[in-house]
Amino acid sequence: MTYKKITLHRGKESSLERFHPWVFSGAIAQFDNSIEEGDLVSVYTHDAKLMGNGHFQIGSIAVRMLTFDDTPIDTAFFVQRLTNALNVRKALGLLRDDNNSFRLVHGEGDFLPGLVIDIYDGTAVIQAHSPGMHFARHTIAEALMQMPGNLLRNVYYKSETTLPYKAQLDPENQYLIGQYDTDVAVENGLKFHVDWLKGQKTGFFVDQRENRRLLEQFSHGRRVLNMFCYTGGFSFYAMRGGATLVHSVDSSAKAIKLTRDNVELNFPGDSRHDAFAEDAFKFLDNMERDAYDLIILDPPAFAKHKSAVKNALIGYRKLNAKAFEKIQSGGILFTFSCSQAVSKEQFRLAVFSAAAQSRRRVRILHQLTQPADHPINIYHPEGEYLKGLVLYVE
Ligand code: SAH
């Protein structure tokens, strides 16, 4: 099957020969006049060889490739890709009685550029990052229901904040299939409410699942400070791990309420936990020295674009320096960056500068990354975004 035609400049097919999933606008020599944003297109070399099919978008990434042959992009295509993605999650052991939340589709990492799907019990939450995936949303919802195993009851579409603003698609967050029934999902035996209607991203940060489990192992007997807690994920793992005290901080009052509700869901009436709606930087400035011996710093992406990297690195240095200054000797620091534009090396250097500035002796115990249900397409290393360090601070 072929679609409206895009022809590349001579030689510009080389990245597609290496299965890189993007065509940049500068690589395009010619396109059909009738092509509109979000259309399916077929990409050809200058000498008319078909390279594959993808979604067209106005902007520097002009085409996100879905196939490298002439396979039609229809319901059967999506059922196949989604089933393959599900098989990977099954192989990872993520579908269990005590775990029903995971990322089913991680964009390029699952060979579906522009698409993210998280599963929370029987509900799939779809996020489109490209107009093409927005237009395909009903097909994708149908394909989700056709995956083997009868996993899903509901499909919720949540792309109001993820689609390019300029595309003027006016997406409406809505149920494409089913309706609200429960908002409680389970991760490694811990329950949590997911607010996919109003929460950030798809409602929960599934990408910290394995790192939370590691934190649980470090928590016994420790006083834990969970900065930028959002739904309190790290907090309730720390409590299960035997922390003596857990304080959660987020500048959003809504996040604090979610955290309190989630702690209550797992540990009703447990007085070890408290939560504060405060700015993280101010909280760190005002807190006593040695009040905590396990601190988590998991801020929002400080750099959304390459142009913001320099300031982001200053932000990471300042934030980490404050934690190094205050943490009890023998303490553990879990520190993260989820900015895709900041490299592992840059982040490490920012944390290293913070350690030097605070004159603490610091060991790197673990180097963390995104979990396996957020896979990195081997042909698209840009997909690596989450970076973390577990540090022992003397
Ligand atoms: N650690 C969380 C995810 C953090 S998302 C988890 O495991 O799920 C980032 C959070 O930082 C958001 O909830 C946001 O409200 C909060 N935030 C952003 N700026 C902040 C600031 N200056 N002080 C405190 N919290 C902030």
Side-chain angles (χ1 to χ4, degrees):
M1 175 89 180
T2 57
Y3 299 96
K4 290 176 190 171
K5 193 169 170 179
I6 280 191
T7 306
L8 302 177
H9 285 295
R10 181 189 285 269
K12 288 297 182 186
E13 67 280 8
S14 59
S15 65
L16 297 182
E17 277 164 353
R18 292 191 300 271
F19 305 111
H20 191 279
W22 298 346
V23 174
F24 289 97
S25 56
I28 296 176
Q30 246 185 359
F31 38 107
D32 275 4
N33 288 338
S34 63
I35 291 181
E36 287 184 40
E37 181 143 54
D39 275 351
L40 280 165
V41 291
S42 293
V43 179
Y44 292 85
T45 60
H46 76 285
D47 53 357
K49 184 178 156 226
L50 177 75
M51 294 305 294
N53 297 327
H55 282 142
F56 176 71
Q57 184 169 345
I58 296 168
S60 100
I61 303 170
V63 186
R64 288 160 205 265
M65 300 299 289
L66 297 167
T67 67
F68 290 93
D69 54 31
D70 61 355
T71 307
I73 314 299
D74 52 12
T75 310
F77 163 84
F78 281 108
V79 172
Q80 186 66 58
R81 289 276 158 105
L82 294 175
T83 304
N84 291 346
L86 182 65
N87 287 339
V88 173
R89 277 64 185 176
K90 281 185 184 157
L92 292 169
L94 290 173
L95 286 79
R96 310 188 307 264
D97 287 345
D98 69 342
N99 194 84
N100 58 27
S101 67
F102 55 91
R103 176 154 293 193
L104 174 67
V105 174
H106 186 60
E108 285 81 357
D110 286 295
F111 308 100
L112 288 168
L115 183 66
V116 164
I117 304 177
D118 286 337
I119 306 289
Y120 300 112
D121 190 10
T123 300
V125 182
I126 301 182
Q127 264 193 343
H129 290 257
S130 68
M133 287 299 181
H134 172 69
F135 294 134
R137 66 195 181 283
H138 293 288
T139 311
I140 295 165
E142 216 177 288
L144 277 166
M145 301 308 284
Q146 286 182 30
M147 285 190 311
N150 271 335
L151 221 63
L152 298 171
R153 302 183 297 275
N154 315 308
V155 178
Y156 187 68
Y157 183 66
K158 186 172 196 279
S159 304
E160 275 176 6
T161 56
T162 54
L163 283 163
Y165 166 71
K166 281 195 204 126
Q168 295 186 324
L169 299 165
D170 294 327
E172 194 190 331
N173 289 348
Q174 57 175 311
Y175 284 96
L176 300 178
I177 290 172
Q179 59 187 354
Y180 179 88
D181 48 32
T182 172
D183 71 348
V184 176
V186 187
E187 182 185 278
N188 291 323
L190 289 161
K191 288 177 278 187
F192 55 92
H193 295 282
V194 192
D195 185 3
W196 50 77
L197 301 180
K198 296 201 197 71
Q200 301 175 48
K201 305 275 170 87
T202 64
F204 193 74
F205 285 82
V206 274
D207 59 358
Q208 290 287 21
R209 184 184 51 249
E210 305 308 324
N211 301 332
R212 289 183 191 118
R213 198 145 64 163
L214 182 66
L215 174 104
E216 179 178 356
Q217 293 165 19
F218 278 100
S219 299
H220 190 77
R222 291 192 186 267
R223 295 159 300 156
V224 177
L225 175 63
N226 180 11
M227 301 302 270
F228 310 93
C229 65
Y230 186 31
T231 55
F234 283 107
S235 302
F236 46 84
Y237 275 76
M239 293 180 75
R240 187 168 69 179
T244 53
L245 167 156
V246 179
H247 285 168
S248 307
V249 177
D250 199 288
S251 55
S252 145
K254 246 195 246 159
I256 293 304
K257 178 169 186 315
L258 270 171
T259 296
R260 286 188 189 280
D261 289 351
N262 285 336
V263 170
E264 190 58 27
L265 196 60
N266 292 287
F267 303 97
D270 196 321
S271 61
R272 289 177 298 159
H273 180 257
D274 207 350
F276 307 91
E278 275 185 48
D279 175 77
F281 288 84
K282 282 203 190 122
F283 190 94
L284 287 166
D285 279 341
N286 295 335
M287 77 191 204
E288 301 280 320
R289 247 167 227 278
D290 302 336
Y292 303 99
D293 43 20
L294 206 179
I295 298 180
I296 301 124
L297 301 175
D298 184 25
F302 283 171
K304 296 237 159 60
H305 299 283
K306 283 262 177 253
S307 59
V309 167
K310 202 171 153 214
N311 282 337
L313 293 173
I314 295 172
Y316 288 123
R317 177 171 56 72
K318 283 193 176 153
L319 180 66
N320 282 275
K322 287 181 198 294
F324 282 132
E325 276 157 28
K326 298 283 175 79
I327 196 167
Q328 163 91 50
S329 174
I332 306 280
L333 179 62
F334 273 65
T335 182
F336 296 96
S337 161
C338 60
S339 308
Q340 188 167 341
V342 171
S343 72
K344 218 182 321 190
E345 292 72 25
Q346 285 171 316
F347 177 60
R348 196 158 150 173
L349 195 62
V351 176
F352 156 75
S353 309
Q357 184 184 326
S358 49
R359 309 189 65 79
R360 301 294 293 259
R361 196 174 290 159
V362 176
R363 293 171 173 83
I364 298 177
L365 305 182
H366 293 275
Q367 302 185 53
L368 307 178
T369 179
Q370 61 216 58
D373 57 343
H374 293 57
I376 300 158
N377 178 330
I378 200 164
Y379 307 113
H380 181 261
E382 300 95 312
E384 189 173 358
Y385 70 100
L386 186 63
K387 303 153 277 286
L389 294 168
V390 182
L391 306 169
Y392 184 93
V393 188
E394 245 178 59

